[in-house]
Amino acid sequence: MERSVEFPPPVGPDWVDEILLAGRPSDVCLRLPETVDRATLRLLVTEAQDRLAAAGLRRGGAAALRLPPSLTYVVNLLAVWRLGAQAVLLDHRLTDFEVDRAVERLHPQVIISVRKAGGGALRVFVDVDETVTPLGDRPAGTDHAVVQLSSGSTGPSKVIGRTAADLVAEIRRYTRIDGVPRSGERIILLPSMVHVLGLVGGLMYGLHAGVELVPPQRLSGDAIVAAIAAQDTPATVLGVPFHIGLLASTTPPGPLPQFVRMTTGGELVPRATAEALIDRFGITLGNMYGMTEVGVIGTDLYGRHRPAIDPAPGLAVREVDGELWVSCPASPYLGLTDPTRWSDGWLHTRDAGVVDPETGLVTIRGRLDSQVSVGGLKVDLTEVEATVAALPGVAAAVVVYDHGITAYVQPAGPLTETALEDALAERLAGYKRPKTLYLLDQLPRTTTGKLVREPSVLRGAAS
């Protein structure tokens, strides 16, 4: 059963005020922990607009944001859009070389970066004073409202653009999903707002729906629990599997009746990890699948169908030769369109999966390239990785094919390669077992918390 496709309607030039900043002046938008209400946010955005215009940013231009998660980031992002300019989002953890390459390609009129920052390394939101540097007067190359770099978990980052209509359509998809936070509730915001889950699913949806956005003071299980407990209103924790691990290893000081759900995106959640969180807090663990190119694709916010998901309203998902395709009216990629990634209104996700013809439920099987041949026998690396990750004493695992099946393992405690090999010998046929095992104190992750699967990066970490 394929869902009907909805095409994003056009939006007017005042979409920021109408979609994101509308509401009563006294309504709280952010708790940092100081509250920021809508009246204050509107004033700060207006002041930022004036600074950006004075630095040379014009309607139809582009501004690069190289800022950590902060009120300064939120204010400048909204100011860029309010001016009718394009926001190029650059993760503040990128190197100068990576930033210079992006600037050379995208030609922003200004770059907004950190002049002074306060707070420790584990702060989720930091105190930032920004500086605005003029770079030229060249207009943006496209009419996209936002330009992002993909997470790069499986290779080099792709440059992706989305229009204001695309963003507004995704916000409206969220409003139609059963189980998302509603007005008067809170989102405990953990993902980076440079990437799509934190940007649209957290910041933009929260502003539109009147949901308070609450970043914890620090990136730790205790700080997340403290943020949940700080108010009596219902709270949903939004994060990725890495954050599940933080919470699952934290003992709450008492009951948390306001903690209703955690919603996770980014990658598949191992069953043991999910069960540990549910047992510890007695909550619902919701699953979300999406991509930078189109945003949220499907959800299962009540955990009823795990590991399957229900396509998001207005999107259609197809299975073509074992690959999942998602409806996408225009190519999201800047530059030449790659017909192997997008064609005729369909985004080719490169994810393996199946679509139930009766219910339309979608089950993701992992990356399409996870199928390898060993001695003429087919092996699904996703199955091998799930088996390794589920072993006692394993905190996380990545399995790739690199001159043979290779497993990179992050232990949760004392663990030896011999113990791993013995445990896998009981669980996997010989041809499926990793040829090489590496134990690493920490597995490499992207800036969004995803495990890196690029063999060259993993080899470097192991050496």
Side-chain angles (χ1 to χ4, degrees):
M1 182 181 69
E2 187 171 293
R3 308 296 177 88
S4 61
V5 179
E6 297 177 6
F7 295 94
V11 298
D14 297 325
W15 69 275
V16 174
D17 291 285
E18 295 168 356
I19 301 297
L20 302 179
L21 293 178
R24 294 176 300 184
S26 60
D27 286 347
V28 174
C29 303
L30 294 147
R31 291 186 182 271
L32 303 176
E34 299 80 10
T35 59
V36 179
D37 59 28
R38 289 190 182 273
T40 301
L41 186 58
R42 290 172 190 147
L43 176 62
L44 293 173
V45 171
T46 299
E47 292 173 349
Q49 279 183 256
D50 294 339
R51 292 193 296 271
L52 293 173
L57 182 62
R58 301 288 182 265
R59 178 173 293 277
L65 279 74
R66 189 190 186 187
L67 295 168
S70 56
L71 180 59
T72 302
Y73 172 88
V74 173
V75 166
N76 279 278
L77 174 64
L78 298 180
V80 169
W81 284 339
R82 226 182 183 190
L83 280 168
Q86 180 183 92
V88 178
L89 305 186
L90 303 176
D91 195 291
H92 71 287
R93 291 162 289 196
L94 296 177
T95 65
D96 289 342
F97 176 77
E98 291 171 311
V99 170
D100 289 344
R101 288 206 310 179
V103 167
E104 288 173 6
R105 178 172 182 178
L106 299 169
H107 306 289
Q109 293 178 332
V110 301
I111 184 167
I112 309 165
S113 53
V114 175
R115 179 173 60 195
K116 180 182 178 183
L122 291 179
R123 286 285 299 273
V124 176
F125 259 48
V126 296
D127 301 320
V128 173
D129 291 332
E130 82 274 27
T131 182
V132 183
T133 305
L135 298 177
D137 198 30
R138 183 169 175 173
T142 68
D143 63 353
H144 296 108
V146 66
V147 172
Q148 295 170 274
L149 303 178
S150 66
S151 64
S153 61
T154 58
S157 296
K158 301 177 291 294
V159 181
I160 295 163
R162 302 183 71 193
T163 65
D166 294 331
L167 296 173
V168 172
E170 186 184 357
I171 292 170
R172 289 177 172 149
R173 284 204 297 275
Y174 270 104
T175 66
R176 295 161 59 188
I177 295 172
D178 186 21
V180 296
R182 302 297 180 186
S183 178
E185 300 184 9
R186 294 174 294 150
I187 293 176
I188 310 302
L189 185 64
L190 303 180
S192 169
M193 295 180 297
V194 171
H195 303 286
V196 66
L197 179 61
L199 174 66
V200 186
L203 175 64
M204 299 180 72
Y205 170 73
L207 290 176
H208 174 72
V211 178
E212 291 184 13
L213 299 168
V214 186
Q217 287 300 291
R218 297 175 68 81
L219 190 57
S220 69
D222 290 336
I224 297 169
V225 168
I228 297 167
Q231 306 292 323
D232 293 332
T233 52
T236 294
V237 174
L238 183 65
V240 298
F242 168 74
H243 300 129
I244 296 178
L246 291 179
L247 272 174
S249 61
T250 301
T251 301
L256 285 174
Q258 58 271 68
F259 189 9
V260 295
R261 174 180 288 104
M262 180 168 185
T263 299
T264 180
E267 58 189 5
L268 297 175
V269 181
R271 179 179 294 274
T273 303
E275 291 176 349
L277 180 75
I278 294 169
D279 291 345
R280 176 61 55 90
F281 291 95
I283 61 164
T284 298
L285 178 61
N287 185 31
M288 183 179 294
Y289 167 57
M291 297 177 66
T292 304
E293 289 86 336
V294 292
V296 60
I297 295 171
T299 60
D300 177 30
L301 298 192
Y302 290 93
R304 295 167 178 158
H305 310 299
R306 189 175 287 115
I309 57 169
D310 193 38
L315 284 185
V317 181
R318 288 180 179 174
E319 174 193 342
V320 180
D321 297 329
E323 181 183 15
L324 296 177
W325 290 13
V326 178
S327 58
C328 181
S331 173
Y333 301 110
L334 272 63
L336 296 176
T337 298
D338 182 353
T340 68
R341 294 306 307 261
W342 180 91
S343 61
D344 299 326
W346 291 93
L347 178 72
H348 306 182
T349 67
R350 301 279 173 87
D351 285 330
V354 295
V355 179
D356 188 297
E358 299 297 327
T359 65
L361 291 175
V362 179
T363 301
I364 298 97
R365 302 295 192 194
R367 296 297 298 172
L368 194 66
D369 56 9
S370 67
Q371 303 285 332
V372 299
S373 179
V374 177
L377 299 171
K378 292 293 183 183
V379 178
D380 186 346
L381 297 180
T382 305
E383 176 197 357
V384 179
E385 181 173 296
T387 303
V388 176
L391 292 175
V394 173
V398 171
V399 174
V400 297
Y401 193 83
D402 189 15
H403 305 292
I405 299 176
T406 305
Y408 296 86
V409 179
Q410 179 179 319
L415 189 66
T416 65
E417 291 183 16
T418 300
L420 273 176
E421 290 170 347
D422 291 345
L424 289 173
E426 298 176 355
R427 291 165 173 81
L428 291 173
Y431 69 92
K432 294 182 180 180
R433 292 201 291 271
K435 178 181 177 182
T436 309
L437 286 168
Y438 293 100
L439 297 180
L440 283 70
D441 291 338
Q442 292 289 333
L443 290 175
R445 292 181 181 270
T446 69
T447 55
T448 64
K450 290 183 181 180
L451 292 167
V452 171
R453 303 182 185 282
E454 174 62 31
S456 61
V457 175
L458 292 165
R459 285 197 301 271
S463 65

